[in-house]
Amino acid sequence: MLESGKRIGYDYLVVAAGHQLDYGKVDGVEGKVGRDGLYSNYTRDGATATWRGIRSFAGGTAIFVEPKGPIKCGGAPQKIAYLADSHWRRSGVRERIDQRFVTGKPVIFGSPYYRPALEEVMRRKKITPVVSHNLISVDPAKKIASFETSEGETTMEYDFLHFCPPQSAPDFIKSSALADSSGYVEVDRATLQHARFPNVFGLGDSSNLPTSKTGAAIRKQAPVVVYNLLRHADGADLAVDSLEYHGYSSCPVVTDYGKMMLAEFDYSLKPTPTLPPWEHDSRIPTYANWLIKTRALPVLYWQGMMRGLA
Ligand SMILES: Cc1cc2nc3c(=O)[nH]c(=O)nc-3n(C[C@H](O)[C@H](O)[C@H](O)COP(=O)(O)OP(=O)(O)OC[C@H]3O[C@@H](n4cnc5c(N)ncnc54)[C@H](O)[C@@H]3O)c2cc1C
């Protein structure tokens, strides 16, 4: 049903409604993001303001925050921390900055294969990781952030704070019959067919697939949905004739200007490197990977994925 009240019938429904940004779940930030040291690059204006804030920052405590719940692109809160560090080193102010990465999760990265490499990046950059601290409120006037921990609430003073907002499935999905108890569209993790409605398929961030929510994952999910939907429409039994998705996802973690680590994994969280073939250890950030991120992936996205060719 549309906002206008108009109802549209369907034979098959493919749900790919993305993630909802829940800025309202962090008390105190409404109307305050994008200035006075408080930034979040998850909107177009927010990204511009974050870059302005990074360039004008000259010293003090800089905190980069990741929420405890599911987010799109698990590496994104770290990417902005690493890029800010790189910029501050280039502009000669890094020595005057106490930089921290504060996450609501118990570890800084889900895949145990890539995690030590990212911990090493933080050590090298002198970014202090703080885990199991979930941002719940900010006092932008006093520049104090409050975090929920297993031992109760704690606060940190900041001069610069970038936060990734809490995220969830869109409300209209949560309140629909399509959702599971977590609010996401309940699909089979291999066939992407809905668990209870055979003529519904789901993919992308709004689905309950237990893998990292990325565009790279969707690139592998889309052909599975197309094949299985067409086979189902032809009367096939997907239990015996279907394409299967194995949870592939990847996260190009930019670690410096000119360096990128391509973390690729599947449901098992084990590495599944496909790119680049000349690398021996995908945990090493390289310039070749940076070229892939800045030159090749945009072409793959716009010319390939968006046209259904790759
Ligand atoms: C900072 C950042 C960096 C990232 N970096 C990477 C990366 O390097 N590599 C990578 O692979 N992924 C990356 N991602 C993740 C990637 O952007 C998402 O996983 C991907 O866009 C999800 O696609 P989707 O189609 O599921 O949802 P979306 O891209 O969010 O699209 C959902 C669409 O549904 C529409 N919609 C929602 N509700 C309704 C409604 N009620 N009616 C009509 N339309 C509706 C929305 O307007 C939107 O157009 C990054 C994300 C962020 C935020």
Side-chain angles (χ1 to χ4, degrees):
M1 185 190 292
L2 306 185
E3 259 175 6
S4 62
K6 188 175 171 193
R7 295 163 71 91
I8 301 174
Y10 61 84
D11 297 309
Y12 279 88
L13 179 68
V14 177
V15 188
H19 236 192
Q20 172 176 292
L21 302 177
D22 295 324
Y23 278 102
K25 287 191 181 157
V26 182
D27 280 346
V29 300
E30 198 187 342
K32 308 282 185 191
V33 183
R35 57 194 155 92
D36 304 327
L38 181 63
Y39 302 101
S40 182
N41 68 359
Y42 282 72
T43 61
R44 185 180 163 148
D45 289 347
T48 311
T50 302
W51 178 218
R52 199 171 51 234
I54 288 172
R55 274 178 300 170
S56 61
F57 191 57
T61 302
I63 305 179
F64 291 79
V65 178
E66 175 185 28
K68 73 173 174 194
I71 57 171
K72 43 180 154 184
C73 193
Q78 285 180 53
K79 293 182 206 173
I80 186 64
Y82 299 150
L83 284 174
D85 163 87
S86 262
H87 178 76
W88 289 329
R89 282 176 196 277
R90 279 181 162 191
S91 56
V93 299
R94 184 62 182 85
E95 288 300 315
R96 301 205 290 271
I97 297 171
D98 166 18
Q99 192 175 349
R100 301 177 203 163
F101 179 74
V102 185
T103 175
K105 300 180 171 74
V107 290
I108 65 159
F109 200 72
S111 164
Y113 180 76
Y114 293 100
R115 190 185 309 143
L118 288 166
E119 286 166 347
E120 178 52 32
V121 170
M122 288 204 188
R123 259 192 301 279
R124 171 168 62 79
K125 287 176 166 289
K126 296 193 171 63
I127 298 174
T128 310
V130 181
V131 298
S132 301
H133 278 54
N134 193 45
L135 182 71
I136 48 172
S137 71
V138 178
D139 182 337
K142 294 188 181 146
K143 295 198 169 169
I144 294 175
S146 300
F147 299 87
E148 190 177 58
T149 75
S150 56
E151 272 124 50
E153 211 174 302
T154 183
T155 58
M156 284 185 207
E157 293 183 12
Y158 69 87
D159 299 291
F160 179 105
L161 188 149
H162 176 276
F163 71 105
C164 163
Q167 298 167 32
S168 62
D171 288 341
F172 82 98
I173 300 272
K174 286 189 198 107
S175 60
S176 78
L178 298 177
D180 69 1
S181 57
S182 70
Y184 290 90
V185 179
E186 187 178 5
V187 294
D188 181 272
R189 59 186 255 160
T191 64
L192 311 186
Q193 186 181 36
H194 197 277
R196 288 168 281 117
F197 305 105
N199 64 337
V200 178
F201 288 79
L203 72 166
D205 292 358
S206 60
S207 67
N208 74 343
L209 295 167
T211 193
S212 187
K213 296 182 184 301
T214 65
I218 295 163
R219 182 168 161 258
K220 298 285 185 183
Q221 293 163 11
V224 173
V225 167
V226 171
Y227 181 87
N228 290 345
L229 190 157
L230 292 176
R231 291 303 296 133
H232 190 266
D234 279 346
D237 177 0
L238 294 190
V240 290
D241 177 8
S242 63
L243 262 188
E244 291 195 352
Y245 172 63
H246 299 289
Y248 175 87
S249 189
S250 85
C251 188
V253 186
V254 175
T255 55
D256 294 273
Y257 280 122
K259 290 276 170 66
M260 189 269 271
M261 177 197 300
L262 189 60
E264 298 181 279
F265 43 86
D266 60 14
Y267 283 139
S268 70
L269 294 183
K270 294 207 180 95
T272 51
T274 55
L275 277 170
W278 58 87
E279 297 291 351
H280 300 298
D281 186 341
S282 57
R283 291 168 294 187
I284 301 171
T286 63
Y287 181 64
N289 278 344
W290 165 264
L291 290 179
I292 288 175
K293 168 79 179 167
T294 54
R295 305 285 163 85
L297 290 183
V299 176
L300 178 75
Y301 181 78
W302 291 109
Q303 310 300 331
M305 289 167 67
M306 289 299 107
R307 295 177 177 191
L309 300 173

